[in-house]
Amino acid sequence: MRPTLQTVADELGVSRSTVSNAYSRPDQLSAELREKVLETARRLGYPGPHPTARSLRRGTTGAIGVLLNAAVSVAFTDPYTVQFMSGLAAAAERHETGLLLVPLSGSDDETAVRLVQDASVDGFCVYGLPDGHRSLDAVRARRLPIVNADRRDDDPDAMFVGIDDAAAARTAGAHLAGLGHRRIAAIFALPASGRPTGPVSLAGPDDLPYHFSRERLRGYRDALAEAGVGWAELAFAGAASYTRADGAAAAALLLDRPPRPTAIVAVNDMLALGVLDALAERGLRPGHDISVIGFDDVPEAATAGLTTVRHSAREMGRVAGGLLLDPPAGRAARDVVLPAELVVRASTGPAPTEGAR
């Protein structure tokens, strides 16, 4: 039979609590007695208390659950997500807490709910889920701390950390309008829909299921409306994912049909970098023939000369972890809006004249 905590206690002639304290409350034992307990456990082959049982006794699991609307690999490959996870991990380390990634991409509703229900965590960080995702109801039902990393929640107890996406996009839209651009296209992604990359017809920003995409397009709409460009005059392409390759494919649809836009905006930098790739394939110069704006300012953006909206994904992750692991007492302090700013680089310039197009 496998040795148990009781086996070690019987061998030493001490109580079960003494053996348990050697692992979980070493300050309750003398150094000599604790080492004697641990040495006896090693000799008998006892590995220590079961982690699940220990968590049940403590009432905590020592882990944050991160709900991802993507495969686990995205947390280690997508530049923005990597930075966010780095900040979240730094906060977790300070509290001696781990991270449990819960990938929901491709899961049916029943599976998504079960993944949330079975997650052994002390709280949830919701990252990039579309509106109405079934897992959100399951998260609320757990009655654990919740922080939304990019959207406010109807749940009054849920915490929030993010930026004012609409305001940041308005600044970017005003920048384009000030450069004389009036024929503008936008690229976004619909990864949960299963739709392939292609042109999309939108009655308005509210047609989009993702909060950050919706708010960013709303900001562009408002800025361009002030310059006399109506929503109906904009062109849209939906990408199958937020990858650079799908950004290039979406840009190709916009560039290869008349009238060609003089500027393309993308809801994140990876899509915008794909637009730059599509321009290069056609011998078009960013900032001269076509202007391009991204969003997020991932490390590759500066190298590519991409005009974009800068905000710190790492800081967002750090704050999200802090809110979960050490929640502020006041409601106002649980709603954190981080700064964002437009960074102008070579990918934007004056709209070309008719003769130069």
Side-chain angles (χ1 to χ4, degrees):
M1 295 179 61
R2 295 181 61 183
T4 65
L5 185 147
Q6 186 65 58
T7 306
V8 179
D10 291 343
E11 178 75 9
L12 288 168
V14 298
S15 67
R16 287 171 54 90
S17 62
T18 296
V19 177
S20 177
N21 285 341
Y23 291 93
S24 59
R25 302 178 65 190
D27 59 304
Q28 300 297 305
L29 306 180
S30 67
E32 181 182 0
L33 177 55
R34 180 171 187 262
E35 181 54 35
K36 187 175 182 180
V37 170
L38 296 178
E39 193 283 325
T40 301
R42 287 192 292 268
R43 176 168 53 81
L44 296 176
Y46 174 61
H50 193 279
T52 301
R54 182 185 294 179
S55 296
L56 288 172
R57 288 193 297 271
R58 290 178 176 175
T60 61
T61 67
I64 294 172
V66 186
L67 300 188
L68 292 170
N69 187 45
V72 170
S73 60
V74 169
F76 304 96
T77 56
D78 175 71
Y80 182 85
T81 306
V82 167
Q83 292 182 63
F84 176 83
M85 295 300 297
S86 174
L88 187 60
E93 286 174 358
R94 284 196 297 274
H95 290 80
E96 298 183 345
T97 298
L99 302 179
L100 175 67
L101 302 184
V102 185
L104 302 177
S105 176
S107 301
D108 56 49
D109 286 350
E110 184 177 341
T111 300
V113 169
R114 187 171 65 251
L115 286 170
V116 170
Q117 292 173 336
D118 292 346
S120 181
V121 296
D122 298 321
F124 286 100
C125 176
V126 180
Y127 180 81
L129 293 184
D131 296 344
H133 199 284
R134 276 284 305 279
S135 66
L136 296 175
D137 289 335
V139 167
R140 298 182 191 107
R142 293 283 304 270
R143 306 308 303 167
L144 294 172
I146 305 168
V147 62
N148 292 291
D150 58 9
R151 53 180 288 159
R152 287 180 172 85
D153 199 305
D154 293 335
D155 184 346
D157 294 326
M159 296 173 283
F160 165 80
V161 56
I163 64 171
D164 188 335
D165 290 282
R170 276 197 301 274
T171 301
H175 171 65
L176 283 181
L179 292 170
H181 292 278
R182 297 297 183 269
R183 200 157 64 232
I184 299 168
I187 295 176
F188 48 86
L190 297 170
S193 68
R195 294 174 57 173
T197 298
V200 175
S201 176
L202 291 179
D206 288 340
D207 282 1
L208 294 178
Y210 291 91
H211 178 270
F212 74 94
S213 294
R214 187 167 61 241
E215 289 300 296
R216 292 172 189 181
L217 286 192
R218 180 172 286 118
Y220 277 114
R221 179 200 63 186
D222 294 347
L224 296 174
E226 292 180 3
V229 181
W231 181 263
E233 299 174 71
L234 305 179
F236 304 98
S241 74
Y242 289 104
T243 63
R244 187 167 182 159
D246 280 329
L253 297 170
L254 298 168
L255 296 171
D256 294 343
R257 67 178 188 180
R260 195 173 72 193
T262 65
I264 298 177
V265 301
V267 299
N268 82 345
D269 281 345
M270 296 312 294
L271 294 175
L273 291 169
V275 175
L276 297 183
D277 293 340
L279 294 183
E281 290 174 3
R282 290 158 177 77
L284 298 171
R285 298 168 300 166
H288 295 272
D289 302 308
I290 307 285
S291 287
V292 182
I293 297 184
F295 209 108
D296 294 335
D297 200 29
V298 300
E300 293 91 333
T303 303
L306 178 66
T307 295
T308 186
V309 172
R310 173 185 292 162
H311 64 106
S312 175
R314 179 178 172 80
E315 178 65 4
M316 189 179 295
R318 187 195 67 78
V319 173
L323 289 172
L324 277 178
L325 296 167
D326 189 16
R331 174 65 245 183
R334 299 185 178 204
D335 197 11
V336 181
V337 179
L338 299 173
E341 63 176 335
L342 179 68
V343 179
V344 178
R345 299 190 178 108
S347 71
T348 52
T353 61
E354 286 293 333
R357 292 173 190 163

